[in-house]
């Protein structure tokens, strides 16, 4: 696939694709897009050093001026939305609509961050001592390491980047080695914005390309006080102890095994539509993809019949064709993992519909599959594991509290939803006795979160929060200040200490 016209429209030289050690393939047809060069240990160390120097300059720039830089970056993204969206689709394999949506998500978080740059509020706190004032202030933290995954090659980075920069930090970004070209494009767009703001240091965003060892170097470096890492739970288990050992901070956004409860009081047409997008979008390769559905006995047959009918209408093929809703899996390993999961489910008595590879001469090196529906009686071990593929496990329930308990009986806790028109059922699901996930929805699927809310989950999902709400506080350090404007020196708690 020739990327030259696309890169030219983004003003990115094709020499970036003439590296020497990391070949990049498009999941659309399995063809090589180019070869990029990785950063060795010395080069990575130099970039961390440049990031630290940029931070020392940037932290004293007023926050609204920092917001202006992100506003300029958002404008560059607007101008390049179509081209960058296409590049996302080509390199990752998601549909063109989803590629454009990912860039729009970047634009949206830039807008959020611009407003945030004038709202980095602290508190004034009542002091127990007379003529004293106590307050809380927030300060930039330092260089922030961002490790992103292949499935959202640019959007999740931007959640971290936009907030970190307006909070006064520099950023070092290590993208997935499966999707480095979109990262190169984003950095080029940001450099255009940098040129328009002389106060901004040139080293504010550093791009480190490499394999797992590059990520390990960022995780271990004392100069990086915060590491935000998106990926598998296994990756999180390796990252968290290393960062904790040096008393750094982590924002972990890890695995999801997201569930839906479909009540007999649900709008079934709405539930079917939400199920299809949430389970099939991005070929099931979202951390918020729907993987488990619990359907009430009374409506199970009606639901499963309607869902199978909807699945038969899903167009699978080249994601650049807007008539296709389902593109390819990222690579052969993803396909093999999917087939192993389906085999294990069948061995546990499940009925599997779909899940086979669509093999044509045009796409002989790509991995297109029909989405799989798995009707299974119990929540077996394979159901409790996250498989990054369009597999949907469907189970029956009779009692809502039992369904909620079963829904929560997995190690992940990212996103969840219930479909019901019963207020009591909805509120029960959202209560402390309901879903144990970081995201809990009513009459909307678990996938497709907006940037205004904090994104992240509990348990083995890692506990981190990114994007909206007050997630910005993770990128700053908090200071409690007390000011004495009296001529006395009273002590707190009534302590007397007189010389």
């Amino acid at each position: 696939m020739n990327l030259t016209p696309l890169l030219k429209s983004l003003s990115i030289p094709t020499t970036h694709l003439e590296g020497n050690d990391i070949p990049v393939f498009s999941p659309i047809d399995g063809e090589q897009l180019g070869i990029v060069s990785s950063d060795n240990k010395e080069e990575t160390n130099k970039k961390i050093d440049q990031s630290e120097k940029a931070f020392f300059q940037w932290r004293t720039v007023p926050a609204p001026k920092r917001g202006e830089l992100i506003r300029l970056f958002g404008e560059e993204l607007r101008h390049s939305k179509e081209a960058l969206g296409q590049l996302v689709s080509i390199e990752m394999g998601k549909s063109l609509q989803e590629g454009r949506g990912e860039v729009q998500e970047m634009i949206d978080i830039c807008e959020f961050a611009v407003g945030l740059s004038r709202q980095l509020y602290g508190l004034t706190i009542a002091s127990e001592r007379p003529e004293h004032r106590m307050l809380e202030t927030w300060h930039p933290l330092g260089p922030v390491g961002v490790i992103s995954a292949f499935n959202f090659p640019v959007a999740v980075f931007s959640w971290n980047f936009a907030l970190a920069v307006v909070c006064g930090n520099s950023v070092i970004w290590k993208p997935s080695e499966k999707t480095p070209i979109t990262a190169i494009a984003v950095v080029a767009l940001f450099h255009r914005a940098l040129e328009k703001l002389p106060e901004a240091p040139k080293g504010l965003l550093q791009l480190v390309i490499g394999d797992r060892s590059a990520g390990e170097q960022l995780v271990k470096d004392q100069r990086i006080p915060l590491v935000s890492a998106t990926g598998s739970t296994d990756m999180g288990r390796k990252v968290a102890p290393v960062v904790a050992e040096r008393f750094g901070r982590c924002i972990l956004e890890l695995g999801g095994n997201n569930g839906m409860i479909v009540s007999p009081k649900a709008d079934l047409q709405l539930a079917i539509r939400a199920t299809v997008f949430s389970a099939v979008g991005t070929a099931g390769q979202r951390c918020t993809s729907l993987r488990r559905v619990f359907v009430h006995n009374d409506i199970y047959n009606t639901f499963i019949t309607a869902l199978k009918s909807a699945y038969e209408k899903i167009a699978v093929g080249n994601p650049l064709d807007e008539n296709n809703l389902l593109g390819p899996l990222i690579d052969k390993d993803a396909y093999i993992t999917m087939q192993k999961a389906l085999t294990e489910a069948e061995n546990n008595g499940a009925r599997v519909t779909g899940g086979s590879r669509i093999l044509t001469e045009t796409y002989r090196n790509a991995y297109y599959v029909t989405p799989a529906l798995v009707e299974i009686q119990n929540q077996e071990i394979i159901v409790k594991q996250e498989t990054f593929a369009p597999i949907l496990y469907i189970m029956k329930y009779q009692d809502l509290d039992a369904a909620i308990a079963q829904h929560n009986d997995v190690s992940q806790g990212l996103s969840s939803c219930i479909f019901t028109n019963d207020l009591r059922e909805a509120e029960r699901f959202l209560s402390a006795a309901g879903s144990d996930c970081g995201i809990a929805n009513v009459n909307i699927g678990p996938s497709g979160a907006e940037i205004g809310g904090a994104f992240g989950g509990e348990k083995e999902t890692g506990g981190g929060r990114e994007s909206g709400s007050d997630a910005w506080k993770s990128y700053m350090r908090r200071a409690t200040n007390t000011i004495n404007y009296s001529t006395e020196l009273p002590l707190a708690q009534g302590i007397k200490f007189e010389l």
Side-chain angles (χ1 to χ4, degrees):
M1 189 175 294
N2 183 12
L3 286 183
T4 300
L6 196 56
L7 294 181
K8 186 176 180 181
S9 71
L10 291 165
S11 300
I12 298 168
T14 55
T15 52
H16 282 294
L17 304 186
E18 299 168 2
N20 56 19
D21 59 351
I22 299 182
V24 183
F25 301 90
S26 172
I28 292 175
D29 54 15
E31 298 301 311
Q32 185 170 296
L33 297 172
I35 301 176
V36 299
S37 295
S38 62
D39 294 287
N40 60 34
K41 188 173 182 179
E42 291 73 24
E43 291 166 335
T44 299
N45 186 63
K46 183 178 179 181
K47 289 184 176 182
I48 297 171
D49 186 54
Q50 290 171 340
S51 183
E52 187 177 46
K53 290 177 180 177
F55 164 69
F56 290 145
Q57 292 178 255
W58 190 238
R59 65 182 177 179
T60 59
V61 174
K65 182 64 73 172
R66 302 194 297 248
E68 172 63 8
L69 177 59
I70 294 301
R71 186 193 69 79
L72 292 169
F73 180 43
E75 287 301 308
E76 295 295 338
L77 292 170
R78 273 193 172 83
H79 296 323
S80 302
K81 178 180 175 179
E82 182 62 27
L84 186 58
Q86 287 184 40
L87 187 56
V88 168
S89 295
I90 291 169
E91 192 174 33
M92 188 271 146
K94 62 178 58 178
S95 73
L96 192 54
Q97 284 290 333
E98 291 181 277
R100 291 174 183 143
E102 187 164 345
V103 181
Q104 184 61 50
E105 198 164 354
M106 300 177 76
I107 296 167
D108 292 345
I109 196 63
C110 284
E111 290 184 349
F112 180 91
V114 172
L116 177 65
S117 69
R118 293 181 181 271
Q119 299 180 76
L120 300 174
Y121 299 139
L123 299 172
T124 298
I125 305 165
S127 173
E128 66 184 71
R129 291 170 282 189
E131 297 185 69
H132 282 60
R133 182 163 66 92
M134 188 159 54
L135 63 152
E136 176 183 273
T137 52
W138 295 85
H139 302 289
L141 186 62
V144 173
V146 178
I147 301 173
S148 60
F150 77 87
N151 58 331
F152 279 86
V154 294
V156 174
F157 152 77
S158 70
W159 294 353
N160 290 275
F161 175 70
L163 269 61
V165 168
V166 299
C167 287
N169 306 303
S170 56
V171 172
I172 308 152
W173 179 18
K174 192 257 176 222
S176 168
E177 59 268 36
K178 295 179 182 180
T179 54
I181 300 173
T182 46
I184 292 169
V186 168
V187 172
L189 293 174
F190 177 68
H191 282 165
R192 286 190 217 166
L194 268 178
E195 293 170 1
K196 300 174 183 177
L197 194 74
E199 300 94 323
K202 302 306 177 187
L204 203 53
L205 173 58
Q206 299 291 331
L207 182 65
V208 173
I209 294 176
D211 57 16
R212 182 178 298 175
S213 62
E216 290 173 351
Q217 188 172 346
L218 298 184
V219 167
K220 292 176 180 178
D221 200 292
Q222 290 275 5
R223 292 168 292 179
I224 302 174
L226 172 64
V227 175
S228 177
T230 303
S232 68
T233 298
D234 287 342
M235 181 269 283
R237 285 197 177 97
K238 294 180 176 69
V239 168
V242 176
V243 177
E245 187 176 10
R246 60 178 179 84
F247 297 101
R249 300 185 197 171
C250 275
I251 299 174
L252 296 178
E253 201 281 283
L254 309 174
N257 194 353
N258 313 295
M260 172 192 290
I261 295 174
V262 184
S263 160
K265 299 170 184 177
D267 179 333
L268 283 186
Q269 289 300 316
L270 198 64
I272 292 292
R273 288 167 56 197
T275 299
V276 173
F277 171 74
S278 299
V280 172
T282 324
Q285 297 171 118
R286 291 180 175 225
C287 53
T288 55
S289 290
L290 179 62
R291 311 208 180 277
R292 301 173 297 134
V293 179
F294 302 91
V295 185
H296 194 275
N297 283 330
D298 292 352
I299 58 168
Y300 183 86
N301 290 336
T302 302
F303 180 86
I304 197 69
T305 299
L307 186 59
K308 286 180 178 179
S309 176
Y311 263 48
E312 289 171 358
K313 299 172 185 175
I314 295 171
V316 184
N318 189 326
L320 299 180
D321 180 344
E322 298 201 50
N323 292 316
N324 293 326
L325 299 178
L326 177 58
L329 294 170
I330 188 68
D331 55 23
K332 182 179 180 179
D333 288 345
Y335 171 73
I336 291 172
T337 300
M338 178 181 182
Q339 296 311 304
K340 286 181 178 177
L342 293 177
T343 298
E344 184 173 338
E346 286 185 313
N347 290 340
N348 281 291
R351 179 189 302 170
V352 176
T353 304
S356 58
R357 185 180 178 190
I358 301 173
L359 189 59
T360 66
E361 184 60 28
T362 305
Y363 301 127
R364 63 185 182 278
N365 294 319
Y367 291 86
Y368 292 85
V369 295
T370 56
L373 294 175
V374 181
E375 298 173 75
I376 193 163
Q377 187 171 358
N378 299 308
Q379 194 159 246
E380 306 291 347
I381 292 176
I382 189 58
V383 182
K384 295 185 179 184
Q385 298 171 352
E386 180 188 35
T387 303
F388 235 47
I391 299 176
L392 184 62
Y393 299 101
I394 307 169
M395 292 156 280
K396 298 178 181 179
Y397 83 91
Q398 183 63 41
D399 174 73
L400 178 60
D401 283 345
I404 291 173
Q406 195 171 19
H407 170 277
N408 293 347
D409 188 26
V410 293
S411 59
Q412 311 87 352
L414 179 53
S415 192
S416 61
C417 63
I418 187 171
F419 275 77
T420 180
N421 287 327
D422 186 311
L423 179 63
R424 288 175 176 167
E425 288 186 333
E427 291 292 343
R428 180 70 173 173
F429 185 76
L430 299 180
S431 74
S435 168
D436 63 359
C437 294
I439 299 170
N441 298 331
V442 175
N443 293 335
I444 186 172
S447 189
E450 299 179 34
I451 59 94
F455 182 91
E458 302 303 320
K459 301 188 293 188
E460 289 188 3
T461 300
R465 292 297 186 275
E466 299 167 318
S467 195
S469 186
D470 65 349
W472 61 271
K473 293 180 179 179
S474 297
Y475 305 89
M476 304 198 82
R477 61 180 179 86
R478 183 195 317 241
T480 300
N481 315 126
T482 304
I483 301 167
N484 178 6
Y485 56 93
S486 75
T487 58
E488 303 297 326
L489 193 63
L491 300 177
Q493 293 86 46
I495 294 173
K496 301 295 183 184
F497 192 84
E498 301 292 342
L499 294 176

